[in-house]
Amino acid sequence: MHNTSIGRLPTWNTNLPFANSECSNFAHNIAQPKLAHTDEFRFLDKAATVYDSDHLEDNELKSSWKIYTVTQVEELKILLRFVPIWTTGIIYTSVFSQMNTTFIQQGSAMGTRIGSFAIPPASLISFEAISVMASVVLYNKVLVPKIRCWFSKDLSQLQRMGIGYFLAIITMATAAFIEWRRLESAKKDELISIAWQLPQYVILAVTEVFIFITLTEFFYGQAPESMKSICSALASLTVSLGQYLSSLIVTLVSVTTATEGKPGWIPDDLNKGHLDYFFWSLTGLCIVNFVTYLAFAKNYTLKKVILES
């Protein structure tokens, strides 16, 4: 793919042709579907434009390394379109990973007994997994038929991810409110039950269904035929990068807020800190991520395959 961007450097400043017919469309050595031309990233179209200087005397092309098909150029455009969608996935994962860190820390500062049972804070992750399975069933058996009945069509993959990003805002706002409620109780030397955390785990599970599953489907379905496995792995890479981003965010918050002898937002003793401020900050990050996603998803051009008879 990188050859597409460098193979036509000598024609970088050349005006583009107005008709698509002036772009090369010579046969592929590898049989694969042809992609229709799109108007985005038009500067890349120069790589598929045939000029007089590209021909020999017998009207054959000098080099296929310097001239690419419309399909090859469109494949590079697909990868470029993935970047903002992929980036929003990384930011979401950094928020999702709070389930394994600050959510557990928050639960440890709550009353861990529900009735006669002692609930380890980390065990609520299992509740989230159960909620994911329940959400998948409810979505397929209840929500999908209702949507088809109301709108005569299914939600698109981009729409489903948008719902997930919006629910991520609700998740962190819920966690912030519960932490505020916990701090207010701690001032009275009271403990609130760890059951208060259940709503944020349930909503987080729904976001996982709408985002993680759909993101993998989207990257695989929209990827170039020769790069489906790589693009699927790219979708999974958001998890790893999101974890690193989460660690960076927590470290920066801890360092910047623990100054002048203050314990900071996330001290070892949460009763002396303000974990709720941290959750509200992540809520703001989710809002920015959601708005950014909407801006790119609204104008996203889906892959268009040319069907040959």
Side-chain angles (χ1 to χ4, degrees):
M1 278 299 173
H2 71 279
N3 288 346
T4 309
S5 60
I6 65 174
R8 301 294 285 182
L9 284 179
T11 63
W12 185 264
N13 295 318
T14 308
N15 292 328
L16 289 172
F18 291 100
N20 291 340
S21 59
E22 296 182 51
C23 295
S24 68
N25 199 23
F26 54 81
H28 289 272
N29 294 327
I30 301 176
Q32 64 179 22
K34 293 182 178 180
L35 301 179
H37 175 263
T38 59
D39 291 331
E40 292 179 312
F41 306 111
R42 291 204 67 203
F43 62 91
L44 293 176
D45 291 343
K46 297 172 183 179
T49 305
V50 181
Y51 300 92
D52 292 339
S53 59
D54 295 320
H55 291 278
L56 296 172
E57 293 182 358
D58 55 1
N59 207 36
E60 293 183 357
L61 295 177
K62 289 182 178 180
S63 172
S64 61
W65 190 89
K66 292 184 178 180
I67 305 172
Y68 299 89
T69 64
V70 172
T71 294
Q72 289 173 317
V73 173
E74 289 301 318
E75 287 175 344
L76 178 57
K77 290 182 181 182
I78 288 173
L79 298 182
L80 293 177
R81 293 189 195 104
F82 277 167
V83 173
I85 305 298
W86 183 67
T87 303
T88 57
I90 294 173
I91 295 174
Y92 162 76
T93 305
S94 70
V95 173
F96 178 84
S97 64
Q98 301 309 311
M99 175 181 66
N100 302 311
T101 54
T102 53
F103 280 15
I104 296 176
Q105 191 175 1
Q106 181 188 41
S108 299
M110 294 178 167
T112 57
R113 297 196 69 85
I114 299 180
S116 59
F117 295 96
I119 309 297
S123 67
L124 291 187
I125 295 177
S126 300
F127 180 79
E128 191 271 347
I130 295 173
S131 299
V132 167
M133 292 186 287
S135 298
V136 170
V137 174
L138 288 174
Y139 176 79
N140 288 324
K141 299 297 183 180
V142 179
L143 189 56
V144 169
K146 290 292 184 181
I147 292 173
R148 289 174 178 171
C149 178
W150 295 335
F151 303 104
S152 300
K153 62 179 181 179
D154 293 331
L155 290 174
S156 68
Q157 293 171 336
L158 290 172
Q159 288 172 331
R160 297 202 315 255
M161 285 190 284
I163 293 173
Y165 288 131
F166 175 76
L167 291 176
I169 300 173
I170 307 300
T171 301
M172 298 316 301
T174 302
F177 170 77
I178 292 172
E179 179 59 17
W180 171 82
R181 177 72 176 79
R182 190 197 66 77
L183 286 173
E184 291 297 311
S185 297
K187 293 177 182 178
K188 304 174 184 178
D189 294 326
E190 298 175 357
L191 286 178
I192 66 172
S193 172
I194 196 173
W196 279 76
Q197 277 196 309
L198 294 181
Q200 66 199 54
Y201 277 99
V202 172
I203 304 173
L204 189 66
V206 178
T207 69
E208 183 177 357
V209 172
F210 276 101
I211 296 177
F212 280 146
I213 296 175
T214 308
L215 187 65
T216 302
E217 292 177 355
F218 180 77
F219 270 52
Y220 183 84
Q222 291 297 310
E225 291 298 318
S226 60
M227 299 184 67
K228 286 188 176 293
S229 297
I230 294 177
C231 289
S232 296
L234 193 65
S236 300
L237 185 61
T238 59
V239 177
S240 299
L241 295 180
Q243 296 281 356
Y244 284 116
L245 179 59
S246 174
S247 298
L248 178 61
I249 292 173
V250 171
T251 300
L252 290 176
V253 168
S254 298
V255 170
T256 56
T257 60
T259 57
E260 299 179 356
K262 297 179 180 179
W265 290 359
I266 317 176
D268 293 334
D269 184 358
L270 290 185
N271 292 336
K272 298 179 181 179
H274 271 291
L275 186 60
D276 55 334
Y277 291 174
F278 177 68
F279 286 151
W280 282 123
S281 298
L282 290 183
T283 302
L285 179 62
C286 287
I287 293 174
V288 173
N289 195 46
F290 175 64
V291 172
T292 302
Y293 173 82
L294 288 182
F296 285 100
K298 181 180 180 181
N299 300 309
Y300 192 93
T301 303
L302 296 175
K303 180 176 68 175
K304 299 177 182 178
V305 179
I306 299 176
L307 298 178
E308 297 182 356
S309 58

